[in-house]
Amino acid sequence: MELKTLEEHQISQIIIEETLEDWKSITNVDVVIVGAGPSGLVAGKYAAEKGLKTVIFERRLSFGGGIGGGGMLLHKVVVTSPADEILRDAGCRLKEISNGVYALDTAEMMAKLATATVDAGAKIIFGVTVEDVIFRTDPLRITGVVIQWSAVHLAQLHVDPLGIKARAVIDATGHDAEVLTIVSKKIPEFNLKIPYEKSMYAPLGENLVLEKAGEIIPGLYATGMAVAAVYNLPRMGPIFSSMLLSGKKVAELVYEKLKK
Ligand code: 48F
């Protein structure tokens, strides 16, 4: 077997050209999802499946968000029906613990959810932090996000960011609701106050996150624990049903809105 090799500059050329091709279309999309945790991945899968041009910006160099930590680093998470259907749809194998109650490995959930999201056509871009939003008046609405390399943030360099246009932005940043927090601080016209989450009360938190997930201000949606932050809902720990179901719900709401 003869191994095909490339000159160093040829490798660079491929990377630069292929990246540029992607980035040209990423600057103007239907849906930007901020965060590739469980809710963001699921939102990305269902948005892309509906034919929406979808990009997920993830600050870290990996997907999964809080899935990998399981419950206190124990490598299992719990889901309940009907969220198991989303995981089955992504090819996950679940162990039924009792009627409608399932457990699975964190690694399997992360890997298969991400595979399903990518296969559906969503782009996941690692190492990019959403540091601000773009807005317009008349009518007042969010029209995109402002992005920066996470490495630039870490190095605390002063580097101007880039702007991305999106017909809908989904905050899937988890407990800190980072995008919504930015709006609450920087655009008082939206009159958005973020009280952040309440202490743990799993059954109530799961139900309310699912119920309240949706469009928070025009153009900006919340899914997963970002919803708990907006409405001061209880946290729920390592049970992921409402993370998955709220991701799917928000993708469907965005689709209904954008198809009009
Ligand atoms: O935290 P995370 O997993 O959010 P989630 O989808 O799920 C929460 C659960 O994991 C767990 C829980 C459930 O019972 O309580 O905590 O609501 O994923 C959020 C992702 O967003 C990324 C972050 O690195 C993580 O992967 N992220 C956060 N802020 C930004 C960001 C940002 N400004 N720009 C880009 N990515």
Side-chain angles (χ1 to χ4, degrees), residues 33-41 56-68 70 125 127-132 148 150 153 171-179 182 197 206 223-227 235-244 246:
I33 298 169
V34 189
S39 65
L41 287 173
I56 304 179
F57 292 116
E58 168 54 52
R59 162 183 289 154
R60 299 193 288 187
L61 299 182
S62 61
F63 43 69
I67 300 172
I125 306 291
V128 170
T129 294
V130 169
E131 64 162 44
D132 206 343
Q148 182 56 273
S150 302
H153 273 224
D171 186 336
T173 62
H175 299 259
D176 294 332
E178 290 198 20
V179 184
I182 290 163
E197 71 194 22
E206 284 267 89
T223 182
M225 287 311 289
V227 181
R235 64 190 302 196
M236 70 289 288
I239 181 161
F240 281 77
S241 312
S242 64
M243 300 300 104
L244 303 173
S246 67

Side-chain angles (χ1 to χ4, degrees), residues 186-252:
K186 296 180 76 167
I187 319 178
E189 290 86 342
F190 281 112
N191 205 14
L192 182 65
K193 305 265 178 298
I194 310 288
Y196 299 99
E197 71 194 22
K198 250 192 191 66
S199 297
M200 197 178 276
Y201 182 168
L204 186 61
E206 284 267 89
N207 272 310
L208 289 176
V209 164
L210 179 54
E211 183 188 317
K212 302 270 190 196
E215 192 172 22
I216 308 298
I217 55 171
L220 179 55
Y221 296 72
T223 182
M225 287 311 289
V227 181
V230 177
Y231 293 106
N232 182 229
L233 308 180
R235 64 190 302 196
M236 70 289 288
I239 181 161
F240 281 77
S241 312
S242 64
M243 300 300 104
L244 303 173
L245 291 165
S246 67
K248 187 173 183 195
K249 177 186 173 188
V250 161
E252 284 162 356

Side-chain angles (χ1 to χ4, degrees), residues 96-175:
E96 185 160 21
I97 306 294
S98 59
N99 190 22
V101 179
Y102 307 89
L104 78 159
D105 282 16
T106 51
E108 178 158 356
M109 180 164 157
M110 287 165 73
K112 291 187 175 171
L113 269 187
T115 301
T117 304
V118 170
D119 285 350
K123 279 274 171 202
I124 303 176
I125 306 291
F126 290 139
V128 170
T129 294
V130 169
E131 64 162 44
D132 206 343
V133 296
I134 303 172
F135 75 105
R136 290 288 183 270
T137 50
D138 299 324
L140 186 63
R141 60 179 290 108
I142 300 301
T143 57
V145 295
V146 175
I147 58 167
Q148 182 56 273
W149 303 118
S150 302
V152 167
H153 273 224
L154 287 169
Q156 298 185 316
L157 298 174
H158 179 100
V159 179
D160 264 327
L162 292 179
I164 303 290
K165 184 175 179 179
R167 297 169 73 204
V169 175
I170 301 176
D171 186 336
T173 62
H175 299 259

